[in-house]
Amino acid sequence: ETGVTQSPTHLIKTRGQQVTLRCSSQSGHNTVSWYQQALGQGPQFIFQYYREEENGRGNFPPRFSGLQFPNYSSELNVNALELDDSALYLCASSSRGLGSPLHFGNGTRLTVT
Amino acid sequence: ILNVEQSPQSLHVQEGDSTNFTCSFPSSNFYALHWYRWETAKSPEALFVMTLNGDEKKKGRISATLNTKEGYSYLYIKGSQPEDSATYLCAPTGGNFNKFYFGSGTKLNVKP
């Protein structure tokens, strides 16, 4: 069973730039969620994708967008980067359903300077 | 948005001590609660998924209880070991079950 993999592991960008983070979901999982974890806080829900469609969104501006592909892998895109976007970005895949636990990747550490 | 509170923020115990932490959440619109363990340099790992009031789950020395009427869950670790050192996160879902609202976690440090 292949776990959730994220790339890159670390990234440094300049304010105003755009970034794309990638995630390969665990085999057999059709749902992908993205979370942002700022220092000292718990992971904050950004959005979830199911069958290539956004299926729920947290309190994040439209410059945070995503995609899910037919193989259930996913991308998180952030435009017009701000300093506050510096955080650990976690991808989690799961099966559809209330009781399905999230399977997380190791995250991408984004630093915006 | 659910307001999820975890306490304490951090805990330092000696090997062999038993310990417990609390997760508090709004009791209305509850669907399920997840507990995760997050070790340094690793990814969060699911411990328990709890849905029913009065649920009790156990995995080795770790157990959890759930009270949906008053909006809290307890996580217990019996006889803590250094390998239990991690941040423990709870995440209830409410309303839209696709959204998990994580607390800030309890960071446990077990000294040998």
Side-chain angles (χ1 to χ4, degrees), chain B residues 26-94:
Chain B
S27 56
S28 59
N29 253 352
F30 174 86
Y31 282 85
L33 182 123
H34 291 202
W35 278 101
Y36 292 84
R37 173 170 58 200
W38 195 354
E39 295 178 65
T40 303
K42 295 187 178 180
S43 54
E45 172 195 4
L47 283 173
F48 303 116
V49 175
M50 311 177 81
T51 55
L52 299 174
N53 184 46
D55 247 358
E56 288 188 30
K57 300 269 184 172
K58 189 173 181 181
K59 189 176 185 177
R61 294 178 291 98
I62 306 177
S63 60
T65 60
L66 177 66
N67 184 320
T68 60
K69 292 183 179 179
E70 296 182 37
Y72 64 83
S73 177
Y74 293 141
L75 188 79
Y76 301 91
I77 302 180
K78 185 177 177 182
S80 302
Q81 299 296 308
E83 58 264 31
D84 295 328
S85 296
T87 296
Y88 291 82
L89 296 164
C90 72
T93 68

Side-chain angles (χ1 to χ4, degrees), chain A residues 33 35 37 40-45 48 55-59 88 90 96-102 104-106, chain B residues 1 9 31-32 34 36 38 41-46 49 51 89 93 96-105:
Chain A
S33 304
Y35 289 82
Q37 197 212 15
Q41 297 181 21
Q44 302 294 310
F45 176 75
Q48 183 185 85
N55 185 41
R57 188 176 184 93
N59 191 26
L88 179 69
L90 291 163
R96 188 78 168 153
L98 180 61
S100 299
L102 301 174
F104 286 90
N106 284 338
Chain B
I1 296 177
Q9 281 189 325
Y31 282 85
H34 291 202
Y36 292 84
W38 195 354
K42 295 187 178 180
S43 54
E45 172 195 4
V49 175
T51 55
L89 296 164
T93 68
N96 182 341
F97 70 83
N98 300 321
K99 297 183 184 180
F100 288 86
Y101 296 95
F102 282 84
S104 298

